[in-house]
Amino acid sequence: MNFFIYSAIFNAFIAGLLGLVIILKNRKELINRLFFALSASVTFWSISYWQWMSSNNEAQALFWVRLLSIGSLFIPIFFFHWILTFIGQNQKHKVFIRILYAIGIIILLFSFSNLFIKDVSPKYIFPFWPNPGILYNIYLAFIYFGLTIYTIALLIKEYRNKGGVEKQSIKYIFFASAIGFSGGATNFFLWYNIPIFPYGNILVSLYPIALSIAIFRYQLFDIKVVTTELLTFLVWILLFIRTLIANTLQERIINGGLLLLMVITGVFLIRSVMREVSQREKLQILTETLSDTNLKLSTRTKYLAALQDFTTSIIESLDFKNTIQSIVNGVSNRFGYLGALLILVSKDGEKIYPAAISQSAASSVALRILPKPLEEYFEFIGQTSSLTAEAIKRGEIQFSGDFSEIFSSVPKDILSRIQKTTGIRLTIAIPIKSKGKILGALEVITAKTKTDISQEELDVLKTLANQIGIVLDNASLFEETKKLSSYKTELLSIVAHQLKNPLVVVKGYSSLVEDNTIQGVDAMKEVFKKVKSAADKLITLLNNLLDLHHIEDGKMHYEFQKLELNKLLKDISDNFQLILSQRKLQFAFEPFAKDANVNGDIYKLSQVFQNLIDNAIKYTESGWIKVKIIDDKKSYLVEISDSGRGISQDLITKLFQKFSRGVEEKQILGTGLGLYISKEIVEAHRGKVWAESEGDGKGSKFIVKIPKLEE
Ligand code: ADP
């Protein structure tokens, strides 16, 4: 019997003292308060236990056993709440905690009724052992066992997720709790008449002891101060008791004096320990900051090394497509993401479109799920608020755990499916800027969560996006240079071939005249006609080159005035009569029934129609040419059709580009600039020009659409 009494006293003493010291350390912290509440419950339980064991009648024993059960009722509840606070999950279990306290209070209300503890009766060596009521059974199953097992499960989960010192503290708390609770559990057998005695009681003390070790080794509550205080208080209490129970005055004075001395030295001791601890804490913070900075530096170096490594490799490749492909592959592989995407803003700034996707496993899964090829999922930036568009519009990094937000042109359910299949947890959209312009966004897709992404990693991604900006700029400059160089070649070829031909004609005839080979006025007239025609061609070619120069420089000058299309086209057609009759081509002009007024530059528009009729003549061996004006709501359509060689589907798409010429056109004089210049002029008139042809040999039709003059 004595064993049970002593272990109860021991428990009460240890738990009470520890609880007191912890609450005195910091009364405001919830974690300290809960630990105090827990220790107080254990103390309460232990004191009542001791009293119950020492009871010598049934009523007294029943009273104490009911009190001790109140203690044991709240131990698991406070323990649960304390652990939740320790692992930072209070918020998540807010409602649950409230319900638990409510249940605790309800049982407390019935704690002195038969529902909780029926009565006491002799069991084995115990004269007054309690018998459980219905509420007690509920408490035992759900609170003592259910809740404690749940709490320990939470601890185990936390143990798995954590590392370092925290992991060690959790380990100690886990063992302390497991031992303490199973020790306490040895009490329950006798309640249900199972002959196992509560020898485990002494283990209950192990829980504060194990916690103290945890505290001591892993500084749960700043142990050095705690132990000093604990020991000092212990000495004070002992001396105080000795003073109280002293037999003689002399003994009392000595003990009292000693107590006074110990109080003074104790206070000094505690203070000096506190000072030492606070200094150590400062030092520790410093060390932690240092090692933290060190760690940050080393991750940074690691990222930067990878960054440098792969930017060198992309700079080496100058082809635009290859460059962007290596960018996304590099980001995805070297930084360990699931995938990376490069989204670019179109030249007109209106659209954003996926330009490259990493060749990673996750990407190939995604591409398989997507019903259309990736390039087809462009979106108009003004009409979307997808994650990508927001990053580009705001020029700021955007995050989302929901992959379906990345692009609004792909159906959400498809994106969600991709997210599920590939395990995407986070998408980061980083705007790519260069020279103050946003060129697009780099999308990083990862299995990490936002909290796993450190500031360093974000900084590196931002640096990377800047680098990509430069690389993209360089690559497009290179493309531009490549274009310029092919431009130069085209120009040289024009100068070399097209300009040379008329000059050869001029020179040839001039020599004939010089040599007196040509005799007579009529023959001479013929020669000069040919020389003039060659000179005209030269002038046209040179004018085309000059126009090109003006267009490229944005210096094409227009003088708009009211023009009547019937008259304009009639005059132009008349000028072609001679050549038409020489080429034996039929010509028909179908004017508009009324005046067809437009706002235009007479020289520039004439140039367009002349060029189109000239082309029709050039590219029609025999047959007819027709010019017609048609009404088209707010515009006029001028159609120039011929029965000539027609245009292949392949050529028709690039007809209006610079230097674009049919493959068989080498024999026919031309620069491939006429249609390009015509298009520029028509567009400056807010109009459109396009070609239609059913194919080779089937004739062509060129249509110019010009807005009507608003009168
Ligand atoms: P150029 O006539 O100097 O080559 P253009 O820009 O005027 O340059 O025309 C570009 C190309 O379009 C021509 O080389 C020719 O292949 C094709 N083309 C233009 N007009 C016609 C037409 N009426 N019929 C067939 N092909 C044409």
Side-chain angles (χ1 to χ4, degrees):
M1 191 68 72
N2 278 352
F3 165 77
F4 302 109
I5 293 178
Y6 291 141
S7 67
I9 297 175
F10 185 67
N11 287 347
F13 196 69
I14 297 278
L17 211 59
L18 194 64
L20 212 64
V21 169
I22 297 296
I23 192 72
L24 287 178
K25 284 253 36 118
N26 192 342
R27 260 169 298 167
K28 292 198 184 96
E29 282 288 333
L30 181 64
I31 190 154
N32 292 45
R33 286 183 187 191
L34 287 169
F35 188 80
F36 174 72
L38 170 65
S39 310
S41 306
V42 176
T43 313
F44 187 82
W45 170 74
S46 308
I47 293 174
S48 312
Y49 202 102
W50 155 29
Q51 289 307 313
W52 162 53
M53 283 287 159
S54 328
S55 298
N56 40 30
N57 64 58
E58 224 182 274
Q60 202 186 356
L62 187 61
F63 172 79
W64 286 113
V65 97
R66 279 176 168 156
L67 272 193
L68 82 85
S69 300
I70 294 174
S72 63
L73 165 66
F74 283 98
I75 292 173
I77 301 180
F78 286 132
F79 174 64
F80 174 63
H81 198 174
W82 177 62
I83 292 294
L84 282 186
T85 317
F86 179 67
I87 61 179
Q89 288 192 13
N90 257 344
Q91 212 44 33
K92 211 168 132 191
H93 291 79
K94 214 165 80 188
V95 182
F96 189 36
I97 295 173
R98 288 198 187 145
I99 295 174
L100 269 175
Y101 280 119
I103 295 175
I105 289 167
I106 292 170
I107 299 181
L108 177 73
L109 293 178
F110 290 97
S111 57
F112 270 74
S113 75
N114 294 347
L115 291 174
F116 195 46
I117 291 163
K118 245 195 247 156
D119 52 13
V120 290
S121 59
K123 280 183 193 173
Y124 307 96
I125 56 165
F126 302 98
F128 311 112
W129 198 270
N131 295 304
I134 172 92
L135 275 181
Y136 197 86
N137 297 336
I138 294 174
Y139 148 75
L140 192 64
F142 294 104
I143 299 191
Y144 196 89
F145 286 112
L147 188 64
T148 309
I149 290 170
Y150 180 58
T151 317
I152 288 184
L154 282 181
L155 266 180
I156 294 177
K157 198 168 156 213
E158 192 66 12
Y159 176 79
R160 292 217 178 108
N161 291 340
K162 283 278 147 63
V165 174
E166 266 177 288
K167 204 177 179 96
Q168 295 308 320
S169 323
I170 294 173
K171 195 164 83 185
Y172 266 94
I173 295 176
F174 169 75
F175 282 122
S177 323
I179 293 171
F181 275 90
S182 38
T186 54
N187 277 289
F188 297 117
F189 296 103
L190 275 181
W191 286 67
Y192 298 91
N193 301 320
I194 302 163
I196 294 177
F197 294 179
Y199 285 115
N201 264 357
I202 191 68
L203 294 179
V204 176
S205 292
L206 275 185
Y207 113 83
I209 291 173
L211 279 185
S212 310
I213 297 174
I215 291 168
F216 182 67
R217 292 187 60 174
Y218 305 109
Q219 289 140 27
L220 277 187
F221 290 110
D222 200 354
I223 189 49
K224 208 151 182 195
V225 182
V226 174
T227 17
T228 319
E229 283 170 349
L230 210 77
L231 290 172
T232 318
F233 293 160
L234 204 70
V235 173
W236 289 353
I237 292 168
L238 285 176
L239 282 174
F240 182 66
I241 295 171
R242 280 191 68 134
T243 316
L244 282 186
I245 57 168
N247 290 331
T248 61
L249 186 67
Q250 197 189 9
E251 214 177 299
R252 189 163 294 178
I253 290 173
I254 292 174
N255 278 317
L258 257 174
L259 176 62
L260 198 70
L261 202 72
M262 280 317 290
V263 168
I264 297 168
T265 45
V267 169
F268 276 116
L269 184 69
I270 293 172
R271 273 208 186 160
S272 77
V273 172
M274 274 178 162
R275 210 171 309 128
E276 187 207 312
V277 165
S278 94
Q279 259 163 10
R280 199 198 56 214
E281 267 171 6
K282 276 187 205 145
L283 214 89
Q284 197 172 346
I285 291 171
L286 211 75
T287 326
E288 270 166 21
T289 334
L290 261 173
S291 75
D292 196 40
T293 327
N294 224 342
L295 192 78
K296 279 182 187 162
L297 264 173
S298 79
T299 14
R300 228 192 149 78
T301 325
K302 194 181 87 196
Y303 278 128
L304 283 179
L307 189 75
Q308 198 185 21
D309 184 15
F310 110 88
T311 33
T312 335
S313 74
I314 48 182
I315 286 167
E316 274 165 12
S317 122
L318 277 167
D319 174 73
F320 189 72
K321 270 219 150 324
N322 279 346
T323 308
I324 56 176
Q325 190 60 54
S326 358
I327 289 175
V328 286
N329 284 349
V331 173
S332 170
N333 298 341
R334 313 240 175 149
F335 296 96
Y337 298 122
L338 287 177
L341 253 170
L342 188 71
I343 313 286
L344 293 181
V345 179
S346 64
K347 275 213 175 99
D348 55 14
E350 285 178 3
K351 276 182 281 181
I352 49 174
Y353 62 94
I357 184 166
S358 57
Q359 288 153 324
S360 52
S363 315
S364 60
V365 172
L367 290 176
R368 236 177 291 131
I369 296 177
L370 278 180
K372 285 196 288 180
L374 187 68
E375 318 73 80
E376 289 182 27
Y377 291 105
F378 61 84
E379 52 191 42
F380 288 95
I381 196 151
Q383 295 165 10
T384 162
S385 55
S386 63
L387 189 78
T388 314
E390 286 304 303
I392 291 172
K393 278 193 261 187
R394 295 188 197 178
E396 283 165 16
I397 255 190
Q398 303 287 317
F399 300 88
S400 177
D402 182 358
F403 186 62
S404 72
E405 285 176 358
I406 183 172
F407 236 52
S408 58
S409 51
V410 189
K412 274 194 178 293
D413 57 319
I414 290 184
L415 291 175
S416 303
R417 225 170 85 208
I418 295 178
Q419 172 157 28
K420 248 189 233 149
T421 334
T422 51
I424 298 170
R425 287 236 198 89
L426 183 70
T427 309
I428 314 173
I430 311 120
I432 297 174
K433 300 177 198 168
S434 177
K435 298 177 192 148
K437 246 180 78 180
I438 299 190
L439 308 178
L442 171 71
E443 313 267 336
V444 167
I445 292 147
T446 161
K448 292 188 201 170
T449 59
K450 195 176 169 196
T451 40
D452 296 335
I453 307 273
S454 64
Q455 191 53 45
E456 288 66 59
E457 192 167 345
L458 277 185
D459 287 346
V460 169
L461 283 175
K462 280 186 204 157
T463 320
L464 189 62
N466 285 340
Q467 296 258 18
I468 294 173
I470 298 169
V471 170
L472 289 184
D473 254 353
N474 281 348
S476 70
L477 263 180
F478 178 70
E479 290 286 304
E480 205 60 21
T481 322
K482 239 172 42 184
K483 263 193 215 148
L484 271 178
S485 120
S486 79
Y487 191 59
K488 209 173 82 188
T489 323
E490 296 283 355
L491 275 179
L492 275 176
S493 121
I494 290 173
V495 175
H497 300 102
Q498 309 292 351
L499 294 186
K500 201 173 134 202
N501 289 348
L503 283 175
V504 168
V505 174
V506 172
K507 193 174 173 215
Y509 282 108
S510 312
S511 318
L512 290 181
V513 174
E514 200 181 26
D515 299 350
N516 293 327
T517 318
I518 309 289
Q519 297 285 340
V521 178
D522 284 347
M524 205 61 105
K525 254 189 181 171
E526 251 336 281
V527 166
F528 279 121
K529 238 191 216 167
K530 286 190 173 125
V531 170
K532 184 176 172 280
S533 149
D536 280 345
K537 277 177 188 154
L538 266 178
I539 289 170
T540 316
L541 289 174
L542 285 173
N543 276 342
N544 273 350
L545 289 178
L546 276 176
D547 280 345
L548 174 72
H549 180 65
H550 286 145
I551 290 170
E552 306 273 281
D553 273 10
K555 285 187 188 141
M556 192 81 153
H557 183 66
Y558 293 91
E559 270 175 35
F560 288 95
Q561 64 182 86
K562 180 176 170 182
L563 291 180
E564 207 279 306
L565 287 180
N566 283 322
K567 182 173 175 338
L568 185 76
L569 282 157
K570 172 89 180 49
D571 289 348
I572 295 170
S573 309
D574 285 349
N575 286 337
F576 281 103
Q577 284 315 317
L578 185 69
I579 175 129
L580 282 165
S581 63
Q582 279 173 354
R583 295 278 310 275
K584 301 197 172 55
L585 290 168
Q586 283 177 34
F587 181 83
F589 172 50
E590 240 180 72
F592 190 62
K594 285 186 273 179
D595 276 358
N597 292 323
V598 295
N599 187 24
D601 180 311
I602 185 159
Y603 298 106
K604 299 282 188 309
L605 271 191
S606 303
Q607 189 182 341
V608 171
F609 296 128
Q610 264 164 14
N611 179 39
L612 293 177
I613 298 173
D614 189 43
N615 276 351
I617 298 171
K618 271 198 311 195
Y619 302 110
T620 305
E621 299 283 307
S622 63
W624 51 263
I625 290 162
K626 211 169 8 183
V627 177
K628 193 173 166 187
I629 305 174
I630 310 169
D631 184 77
D632 181 45
K633 292 180 207 147
K634 293 192 166 171
S635 308
Y636 292 110
L637 302 181
V638 178
E639 280 186 6
I640 294 124
S641 34
D642 61 57
S643 62
R645 62 167 71 175
I647 307 161
S648 68
Q649 278 312 305
D650 185 38
L651 181 63
I652 214 159
T653 51
K654 347 185 239 221
L655 212 54
F656 294 91
Q657 292 170 8
K658 258 181 281 190
F659 305 117
S660 175
R661 301 202 74 196
V663 271
E664 296 148 32
E665 265 58 287
K666 292 276 179 287
Q667 305 309 317
I668 299 174
L669 204 67
T671 52
L673 285 172
L675 288 180
Y676 169 74
I677 294 167
S678 299
K679 181 170 170 274
E680 289 292 324
I681 294 175
V682 172
E683 283 175 358
H685 283 77
R686 289 187 292 120
K688 267 174 83 176
V689 55
W690 69 96
E692 291 172 2
S693 170
E694 292 189 357
D696 282 335
K698 298 204 173 136
S700 335
K701 187 194 272 181
F702 283 80
I703 302 121
V704 180
K705 182 176 178 176
I706 303 265
K708 288 178 181 171
L709 180 74
E710 288 167 13
E711 280 171 304

